[in-house]
Amino acid sequence: MMKKNMLALVFGLGLLIPGGTLYSGVHETVLAAPEITSAAAVTAAANTPVVIVNGKKLMLADAPFTKQGRLLVPLRGVAEGFGASVTWNKATRTASVTRGVHEAQLTAGSTAAVKDGIAVKLDVPAEIRSGRIYIPLRFSAESMGGLVSWNASTATASITMPLTPAAAQLIIQDRAEEAVTALKEKDWESLQALSSPKGVRFSPYGYVNTSSDRLLSHSSLTTAPLDNTAYLWGSYDGSGDPIKLNFAQYYDRFIYSSDFAAAPQIGYNVTIGTGNTLDNSRNIYPNAIIVEYHYDGFDPQYAGMDWQSLRLVFGKEGSQWVLVGIIHDQWTI
């Protein structure tokens, strides 16, 4: 009986599959589990991997484990920890996970998975243990738009999850509208008031290059538009030639190249425009709210390859959300 209780303690919560239904409660045997008394058991408990989501430790009743160098976690416990929902198809042994606009599917015993409609391959297959499904931690987070870091010395996995589109819109819509209007009207004082005291980074393409993208200080946001000096803003896609422009020229080419205040599509923490250039904005700004103003094209003969986007990046500093980045994006060669 003691052996069964110990197993219940280790594998308590998660995605149970009795008769193909979801279970979210705790086994009664968990409450009656004996205390850990042996030195070996204490050591094992101390080495159990820890999962932290947005700074908060997940209290998982199911213990994660490593397999082939990969950390597998109980799907239901972790998914609910970062605000995702899980459904289980008993017939196909497939789990579906959704969070905001993201959706993923994976099947027990298979390395084949689907992320937002695109087929991907897992490093290790999802696995059922004691009636619960475990999946690779990195896939569980990244498939829902999150980022994962691993601290081997403390056996701690830290997940950073962006706000859902609805939550992001609720927080930032008014401020984003003020910022895009300020850009349209070239109201630099208003833009400065909305911006970070640390300055704003300007990125000419979707790939944010922290070493070459120009960072304007808070005070220069009102003086730079009056400066006729040509500065380096990065490199042109395709040719690799340096982008040497004064602020007014950069504004016309790489900030307000279209009337983004009237853009027909707006995404909050959702990427709309995609092309050949890698969009690494979420890696550079993991905790930010990114608002995208998007045109899917202008001339029908280009079949959408003339799309353009303006992304405004807001970071939380203290209790305020402030503008920290302005990213222009478009179809690239």
Side-chain angles (χ1 to χ4, degrees), residues 201-214 233-235 280 284:
R201 178 185 289 114
F202 291 78
S203 303
Y205 298 105
Y207 183 84
V208 179
N209 190 324
T210 56
S211 62
S212 62
D213 292 351
R214 188 166 174 75
W233 300 83
S235 302
N280 67 337
I284 302 300

Side-chain angles (χ1 to χ4, degrees), residues 10 17 32 72 75 83 99-100 104 108 124-125 133 167 199 203 221 228 231 259 261 265 267 289 291 297 301 316 333:
V10 176
I17 318 172
L72 275 76
L75 173 57
R99 182 183 188 270
V124 292
I133 186 167
S203 303
L221 292 173
N228 290 322
Y231 293 97
D259 187 9
Q265 297 182 63
I289 295 177
V291 185
Q301 69 174 316
K316 193 171 187 181
I333 299 173

Side-chain angles (χ1 to χ4, degrees), residues 2 33 36 44-45 52 58 70 102 157 162 195 216 246 254 257 296 303:
M2 181 176 292
I36 298 174
I52 295 175
L58 293 188
R70 298 292 184 266
H102 297 291
S195 301
L216 292 186
N246 62 33
F254 290 109
S257 55
D296 60 9

Side-chain angles (χ1 to χ4, degrees), residues 67-87:
K67 183 176 182 179
Q68 299 177 23
R70 298 292 184 266
L71 182 64
L72 275 76
V73 294
L75 173 57
R76 185 171 181 81
V78 170
E80 290 183 346
F82 50 67
S85 60
V86 180
T87 58

Side-chain angles (χ1 to χ4, degrees), residues 9-331:
L9 175 63
V10 176
F11 299 113
L13 262 178
L15 182 63
L16 296 185
I17 318 172
T21 60
L22 291 173
Y23 177 77
S24 59
V26 180
H27 281 93
E28 292 181 0
T29 48
V30 172
L31 301 178
E35 295 182 0
I36 298 174
T37 55
S38 70
V42 171
T43 300
N47 293 332
T48 298
V50 173
V51 180
I52 295 175
V53 177
N54 290 349
K56 183 178 180 181
K57 179 181 176 180
L58 293 188
M59 304 306 293
L60 297 172
D62 291 336
F65 64 90
T66 56
K67 183 176 182 179
Q68 299 177 23
R70 298 292 184 266
L71 182 64
L72 275 76
V73 294
L75 173 57
R76 185 171 181 81
V78 170
E80 290 183 346
F82 50 67
S85 60
V86 180
T87 58
W88 173 254
N89 186 317
K90 180 183 178 181
T92 61
R93 291 162 51 92
T94 299
S96 298
V97 190
T98 57
R99 182 183 188 270
V101 298
H102 297 291
E103 183 174 1
Q105 295 86 34
L106 64 170
T107 302
S110 174
T111 57
V114 177
K115 174 184 175 182
D116 293 333
I118 300 174
V120 297
K121 185 177 181 180
L122 304 177
D123 293 329
V124 292
E127 180 176 323
I128 292 178
R129 284 195 177 190
S130 191
R132 300 150 181 90
I133 186 167
Y134 289 75
I135 71 171
L137 173 68
R138 187 167 298 279
F139 179 79
S140 72
E142 293 182 350
S143 65
M144 297 294 107
L147 297 173
V148 182
S149 62
W150 172 253
N151 186 325
S153 63
T154 61
T156 300
S158 297
I159 301 174
T160 301
M161 297 298 299
L163 292 168
T164 62
Q169 181 175 358
L170 186 64
I171 291 171
I172 212 67
Q173 182 174 10
D174 291 344
R175 201 164 186 83
E177 288 178 356
E178 290 179 42
V180 75
T181 299
L183 285 171
K184 176 178 182 175
E185 298 177 354
K186 300 183 180 180
D187 183 353
W188 308 120
E189 287 78 13
S190 293
L191 189 73
Q192 183 188 59
L194 295 166
S195 301
S196 168
K198 301 175 184 177
V200 177
R201 178 185 289 114
F202 291 78
S203 303
Y205 298 105
Y207 183 84
V208 179
N209 190 324
T210 56
S211 62
S212 62
D213 292 351
R214 188 166 174 75
L215 178 68
L216 292 186
S217 68
H218 189 260
S219 59
S220 353
L221 292 173
T222 54
T223 59
L226 307 176
D227 188 352
N228 290 322
T229 306
Y231 293 97
L232 181 64
W233 300 83
S235 302
Y236 286 102
D237 177 76
S239 68
D241 293 337
I243 300 174
K244 290 202 71 174
L245 303 170
N246 62 33
F247 185 90
Q249 293 168 329
Y250 184 86
Y251 171 90
D252 290 337
R253 176 66 179 81
F254 290 109
I255 299 178
Y256 214 77
S257 55
S258 296
D259 187 9
F260 290 111
Q265 297 182 63
I266 303 174
Y268 297 87
N269 274 358
V270 176
T271 299
I272 304 175
T274 57
N276 293 331
T277 300
L278 173 67
D279 174 9
N280 67 337
S281 56
R282 185 53 61 189
N283 298 80
I284 302 300
Y285 306 104
N287 298 309
I289 295 177
I290 302 177
V291 185
E292 179 172 354
Y293 299 87
H294 179 77
Y295 284 92
D296 60 9
F298 301 91
D299 191 330
Q301 69 174 316
Y302 295 117
M305 288 191 291
D306 56 343
W307 66 265
Q308 292 185 24
S309 286
L310 176 69
R311 300 189 182 108
L312 302 183
V313 184
F314 295 88
K316 193 171 187 181
E317 297 180 3
S319 60
Q320 295 292 322
W321 287 91
V322 291
L323 184 68
V324 298
I326 297 177
I327 304 170
H328 177 273
D329 205 1
Q330 64 184 68
W331 179 267

